[in-house]
Amino acid sequence: MRLGVLCCRAVVGAMVVLVFLPIRISEANWLTDAFKGSSKPGKAAAHVASLKRTGSAKHSASPKSHHVKLAALGAAHLSLSTLKAAPSKCDPKKFRVLLDVGHTAESEGATSSRNVPEFAFNLRLARQIDEKLKAEGFAETRLLVTEGKARPSLVKRVAVANDWSADLFLSIHHDSVPDKLLEDWEFEGKKSHHSDRFSGYSVFVSHDNPDFKTSFSFAEMVAREMKARGLQYARQYTLPIMGHYQHPLLDKEAGVYSYDDLVVLRKTRMPAVLLEAGSIINRDEELRMESPERRDLVGNAVVAAAKDFCGPQEPFLGPL
Ligand SMILES: [Zn+2]
């Protein structure tokens, strides 16, 4: 909480009510180990207790740091005339957001209940998010579409992100379920699979990212923006039925999970988050994910989160 600054300047963060809305991102975790680096059983759970570890200082403000105990400052000492302009944490015009389209045309990820490849969903949604971010002033946003097989494509994504020195990495995916949970049905005369049991968005971060703290902060902003728009997060990742696809739930209100071994989250040298925008193996949710309205909603949630992330610092009082 920047205690060193408080000696001469009082934080008046409560005068700027920063709203952290829910959003969620998820990765089709069970789909293939190709998304993982080395497997470290049990490591994720151990990391739950390490949330307070310090990340890098580039965007070191965690959501909680914005909530200031104004009463403790003493209202009698506050003077609007002493307020100073609050600098932004980053300049959207120069802020490099790398929007990663999950999977490739060659390795398409999950298959929806109506046999549409996940890659098509990811590409369409990521394009919309890209357009919205640019329209809202994030001019340096870049859409990353990768080619080739699954594992080499992960290395390429990380290389692009690190070579470009992106400020933020956001991978866009759509969710499914482990094969053992699939149920048969027929769609347009073709044997197909669904699972209507689970639905919702989810957001993933890795403790192995060099800036876990900031990654988690942005993940919470995305998740909260999603939640604020009436969406619910996928609860199943805490269930034993998910087996080794179980993941620790870091934010039980908004829906942020840790998934430490994901290559694109742990090898990128900037804050990195993965969003599973919704389930395409759930027959009802697939139809919703198909709709322009849902893409618009998710896009707006991501843009709002980016604005939160890049928004003004808490204003400070001058010397008291
Ligand atoms: Zn995926």
Side-chain angles (χ1 to χ4, degrees):
M1 186 72 76
R2 302 174 186 170
L3 292 178
V5 178
L6 288 176
C7 64
C8 54
R9 292 186 294 183
V11 180
V12 196
M15 299 183 73
V16 176
V17 180
L18 296 178
V19 180
F20 295 96
L21 303 174
I23 277 190
R24 151 183 295 195
I25 295 175
S26 66
E27 162 78 343
N29 306 317
W30 61 85
L31 285 178
T32 168
D33 284 348
F35 285 93
K36 303 178 184 178
S38 60
S39 182
K40 302 168 187 172
K43 185 179 180 186
H47 278 150
V48 176
S50 66
L51 266 179
K52 293 181 180 177
R53 288 198 307 203
T54 304
S56 80
K58 190 172 183 182
H59 297 289
S60 60
S62 71
K64 288 182 179 178
S65 72
H66 295 281
H67 301 289
V68 178
K69 294 178 180 176
L70 183 60
L73 297 176
H77 296 290
L78 300 179
S79 167
L80 289 178
S81 64
T82 59
L83 280 175
K84 293 185 175 179
S88 294
K89 291 194 281 290
C90 51
D91 180 356
K93 293 194 296 295
K94 299 176 182 175
F95 192 67
R96 294 182 170 188
V97 180
L98 189 58
L99 268 181
D100 172 47
V101 178
H103 307 281
T104 69
E106 184 178 335
S107 178
E108 297 178 311
T111 300
S112 80
S113 63
R114 293 172 179 81
N115 305 306
V116 177
E118 180 195 343
F119 178 69
F121 281 90
N122 297 342
L123 182 59
R124 198 166 39 183
L125 176 59
R127 280 177 172 159
Q128 180 139 1
I129 296 171
D130 178 47
E131 290 173 6
K132 282 181 176 289
L133 281 169
K134 285 173 176 157
E136 293 293 327
F138 289 86
E140 287 293 307
T141 301
R142 179 172 167 184
L143 189 70
L144 177 59
V145 181
T146 313
E147 298 178 346
K149 297 182 184 301
R151 178 167 285 279
S153 86
L154 301 180
V155 177
K156 290 179 192 173
R157 294 165 210 270
V158 170
V160 170
N162 292 340
D163 290 348
W164 190 44
S165 297
D167 293 304
L168 186 65
F169 181 94
L170 176 60
S171 191
I172 303 298
H173 287 255
H174 288 73
D175 219 352
S176 184
V177 296
D179 288 349
K180 68 177 181 179
L181 298 177
L182 292 173
E183 298 175 46
D184 295 335
W185 76 306
E186 190 173 295
F187 177 70
E188 294 183 340
K190 183 179 177 183
K191 182 182 178 183
S192 306
H193 303 284
H194 76 84
S195 175
D196 295 338
R197 186 172 171 185
F198 306 114
S199 63
Y201 70 91
S202 48
V203 186
F204 290 94
V205 291
S206 170
H207 284 94
D208 292 339
N209 181 279
D211 194 351
F212 166 75
K213 184 177 179 182
T214 308
S215 300
F216 181 56
S217 177
F218 180 65
E220 287 201 303
M221 292 173 187
V222 173
R224 289 171 183 171
E225 294 288 354
M226 295 282 274
K227 183 179 177 183
R229 285 162 176 78
L231 303 179
Q232 296 194 339
Y233 74 84
R235 312 273 168 163
Q236 68 267 25
Y237 287 107
T238 61
L239 302 178
I241 195 172
M242 298 300 282
H244 69 282
Y245 300 113
Q246 262 186 297
H247 295 293
L249 182 58
L250 305 182
D251 182 333
K252 62 180 173 49
E253 295 299 323
V256 177
Y257 292 90
S258 67
Y259 193 170
D260 293 342
D261 293 342
L262 282 177
V263 170
V264 295
L265 298 185
R266 65 193 293 262
K267 293 294 187 182
T268 41
R269 294 196 293 264
M270 71 289 305
V273 168
L274 189 147
L275 169 63
E276 296 278 3
S279 174
I280 53 173
I281 201 67
N282 179 302
R283 289 176 291 187
D284 288 340
E285 189 157 65
E286 181 189 4
L287 294 178
R288 290 194 289 273
M289 300 311 296
E290 275 279 354
S291 71
E293 292 77 16
R294 175 58 67 89
R295 286 195 295 278
D296 195 50
L297 186 150
V298 175
N300 289 342
V302 172
V303 169
K307 288 182 174 178
D308 289 344
F309 188 81
C310 231
Q313 303 274 18
E314 303 89 345
F316 293 97
L317 287 178
L320 296 176

